[in-house]
Amino acid sequence: MSPQKNLRIFSGSSHPALASAIAKAMKLPLSKMHISRFACGEIYAKPEETVRGMDVFIVQTCTGDVNEDYMQLFIMIDALKRSFAKAVHVVIPHYGYARQDRVASPREPISAKLMESLIAAAGADHVISIHFHSDQTQGFFPFPMDNLKTKRLFADYLKKKKLKNAVIVAPDAGAAKEAGRLAAFLDMPLAILTKERPSFNVAEVTSVVGDVEGKTCILVDDMIDTAGSVVAAHAALLKKGANKDIYLMATHAVFSGPAVERLKKTQFKEVIVTDTVPLPKEKQFKGLVTLSVAPMLAKVIQCVHEDKSVTEVL
């Protein structure tokens, strides 16, 4: 990729390593954003170079401190907008509050919509994210957005594994569409688990739809939070006679609370994730494979800057 004089990439404090990898892939220096705090705790952000008339991309994912990440993002957007940037594109690899996308019971908020309204109010012109919890979330934005998929990234990895007698498994009905697309792309059969949630972060698998007996199962989901669902799925698949070598693939490795210990204990053959969320050493373990989304995001940013379609990248 050739350097662009009128393109700038800034990073929030949530995932500087990913932002640096994106900039490196584009042969661009990562622009500097000064971020600090006032004595009272309020956030201060200021770009340290001119952005007047430029396409500006902010890379800020949502990590364990999602509220801090969003507040910092809003202030960075405002600073860049007031610095006369031509367009402010927000790159949020892992979109926080995405699971709160509907009213499932009376008096609940739709927090995914609220976040999108706040991003728009801050002055963003465009959002790029990866693998929403639900595709309907795209409809909440009042401006164009790109919801990227990791299907090709995962498919390329699986092709290199050359697994025999494998089946793609969706851990619930909500994940069935994306798992089905991956299965079709790889020409593999699909199985679907049904589950119930008696409470938050608690999942119980009720049945397995599809043939998994004697097969190498590849569980595919959008995210791993506390890992309760995938651990329950692992047990259900073994009970149905699946090969003991069960793989787990998920775009977002949130790994909250007991997730890492649960995954270690369950002993998946491999846990394959992307780097949409930074993983410190204490959250890494044997069998964890991390695929980088930086090359994909670099290509998408280049396409957006040049007003080209991003379809081929997906």
Side-chain angles (χ1 to χ4, degrees), residues 82-218:
R82 294 179 189 278
S83 299
F84 301 98
K86 183 180 74 174
V88 176
H89 308 266
V90 179
V91 182
I92 315 179
H94 174 240
Y95 192 86
Y97 287 98
R99 285 177 287 180
Q100 299 180 46
D101 58 7
R102 68 194 187 284
V103 176
S105 63
R107 298 178 296 281
E108 286 189 338
I110 304 180
S111 303
K113 173 65 172 71
L114 175 61
M115 292 303 108
E116 285 149 15
S117 297
L118 292 171
I119 291 170
D125 299 290
H126 171 220
V127 164
I128 300 169
S129 192
I130 299 178
H131 202 160
F132 277 145
H133 185 66
S134 172
D135 284 343
Q136 72 191 39
T137 306
Q138 298 175 72
F140 296 152
F141 286 93
F143 49 70
M145 74 83 50
D146 288 296
N147 177 28
L148 310 181
K149 305 295 184 180
T150 50
K151 176 185 70 178
R152 186 166 295 181
L153 188 65
F154 285 150
D156 289 345
Y157 180 81
L158 288 175
K159 285 177 181 177
K160 293 176 183 176
K161 300 293 290 185
K162 297 181 180 179
L163 300 175
K164 303 295 183 182
N165 199 25
V167 56
I168 300 294
V169 181
D172 55 41
K177 182 183 289 186
E178 287 302 321
R181 288 170 180 165
L182 180 61
F185 193 73
L186 292 168
D187 194 24
M188 289 183 182
L190 173 69
I192 302 171
L193 308 184
T194 60
K195 70 181 181 185
E196 293 180 354
R197 283 195 178 276
S199 62
F200 286 122
N201 295 122
V202 177
E204 296 176 357
V205 176
T206 54
S207 64
V208 179
V209 181
D211 181 18
V212 299
E213 187 172 358
K215 295 183 181 293
T216 298
C217 293
I218 306 164

Side-chain angles (χ1 to χ4, degrees), residues 247-262:
Y247 292 78
L248 172 60
M249 306 189 88
T251 300
H252 308 297
V254 179
F255 290 178
S256 302
V260 172
E261 288 306 313
R262 284 175 172 174

Side-chain angles (χ1 to χ4, degrees), residues 253 255 263 270-273 279 283-290:
F255 290 178
L263 293 170
E270 286 184 357
V271 177
I272 306 141
V273 299
L279 285 176
K283 289 190 176 183
Q284 298 177 23
F285 52 90
K286 184 179 180 180
L288 178 68
V289 177
T290 305

